[in-house]
Amino acid sequence: MNPTREQLAQQIIEAGRFLYGRGWSPATSSNYSARLSASEALLTVSGKHKGELGPDDVLATDMQGRSLEPGKKPSAETLLHTQLYSWKPQIGAVLHTHSVNATVLSRLCLSYSLVFACYEL
């Protein structure tokens, strides 16, 4: 049986709290989503603190990233999520974080590539 919108929203909320607690999603950075159907996704609303998400902090969008809930603004990165869902029907969720360490590292490595080996995520 497929999870309901409410169950998916709760899973997104719990993921936000977990990732914030690990320091991987400070404040309003990052965004998370889950596939609702072949034509809709559930995403975090723009500008919400990921460690303090509530049921009103998620919204449904179509696969073009347009909000299906009046008054709720999708994140600027919504199309990253919906494009992944459109690309592969097997993708059920996307957790896109912006940890401080990864952000700083990416700024330091602008002129060369960085390769990790024997590292499990």
Side-chain angles (χ1 to χ4, degrees):
M1 182 154 85
N2 292 334
T4 66
R5 182 196 190 284
E6 291 75 23
Q7 290 169 324
L8 290 173
Q10 187 58 41
Q11 290 173 358
I12 289 171
I13 290 165
E14 290 170 8
R17 290 179 183 155
F18 174 81
L19 295 168
Y20 171 76
R22 294 277 183 138
W24 298 338
S25 283
T28 62
S29 74
S30 310
N31 40 31
Y32 316 125
S33 68
R35 181 190 297 273
L36 277 174
S37 68
S39 61
E40 296 179 356
L42 191 64
L43 290 101
T44 50
V45 174
S46 180
K48 295 298 179 173
H49 190 296
K50 301 312 179 291
E52 301 172 358
L53 293 172
D56 289 335
D57 297 329
V58 296
L59 76 149
T61 69
D62 62 19
M63 289 301 167
Q64 289 70 46
R66 293 181 294 248
S67 176
L68 300 174
E69 299 182 29
K72 290 187 176 182
K73 181 184 172 192
S75 161
E77 296 173 333
T78 297
L79 288 178
L80 294 173
H81 296 252
T82 58
Q83 290 299 305
L84 287 169
Y85 294 131
S86 295
W87 173 56
K88 274 205 175 185
Q90 303 91 328
I91 296 174
V94 177
L95 303 175
H96 178 194
T97 66
H98 290 271
S99 72
V100 172
N101 291 344
T103 302
V104 170
L105 185 60
S106 71
R107 302 303 301 159
L108 293 173
C109 298
L110 290 175
S111 62
Y112 58 91
S113 62
L114 180 65
V115 177
F116 290 98
C118 301
Y119 186 75
E120 184 178 336
L121 297 173

